[in-house]
Amino acid sequence: MIKRSGTRGAANNDALLRFALKLDGTVSGLVAALSLLGARALDPLLGLPSWLHWAQGGFLAVYAAGLWYAGTRPAVIRWIAAGAVVLNAIWAVGCIAIIAAGPAWFPITVLGDAYVGLIGLAVMVFGAMQYAGLGRAR
């Protein structure tokens, strides 16, 4: 049998990257909505100030849209995917810093530590999936 190269092979090679971008975009969009709509309610529960939720929500809304855009084009926009890997790594370091600094930065609660820790873990997983997907899609 003759193996043909073409768009079908390329689509198979970038399936992980597309999935990772869309998953990250979906979760980021949900966290953006939660942060923007629930900032005042989350403040006492998590011990993180409302301005931080609003800043996070605004950033994540734009970020989520960019990820969906990059992941749904006929050819994945690789520079956006590579940028997502870097931003996810920076975001994870920021989550670790917030937890480590604790009350020196914010009066973070136990629930707040869990929330920030879960977000940090999620962005590490998304970044690793995107990195692996970029390697496969070459």
Side-chain angles (χ1 to χ4, degrees):
M1 236 178 175
I2 298 173
K3 192 173 188 181
R4 295 185 218 171
S5 62
T7 56
R8 179 177 267 180
N12 289 338
N13 288 342
D14 69 6
L16 175 61
L17 182 57
R18 287 181 186 280
F19 174 73
L21 291 171
K22 291 181 205 175
L23 180 62
D24 191 357
T26 300
V27 173
S28 294
L30 292 171
V31 173
L34 175 67
S35 296
L36 291 170
L37 299 174
R40 292 200 195 277
L42 291 173
D43 186 355
L45 291 174
L46 304 178
L48 299 168
S50 295
W51 66 263
L52 187 61
H53 294 291
W54 288 320
Q56 172 180 264
F59 172 79
L60 288 177
V62 173
Y63 179 72
L67 293 178
W68 266 93
Y69 181 77
T72 57
R73 301 300 91 199
V76 174
I77 303 173
R78 293 179 60 81
W79 69 267
I80 293 177
V85 172
V86 172
L87 288 173
N88 279 326
I90 292 168
W91 201 275
V93 170
C95 289
I96 292 166
I98 288 173
I99 292 169
W105 286 2
F106 307 111
I108 195 164
T109 65
V110 172
L111 184 60
D113 278 337
Y115 173 79
V116 173
L118 182 61
I119 289 174
L121 179 61
V123 298
M124 284 189 275
V125 170
F126 297 149
M129 288 173 62
Q130 291 155 353
Y131 182 79
L134 278 166
R136 283 188 186 178
R138 288 185 190 245

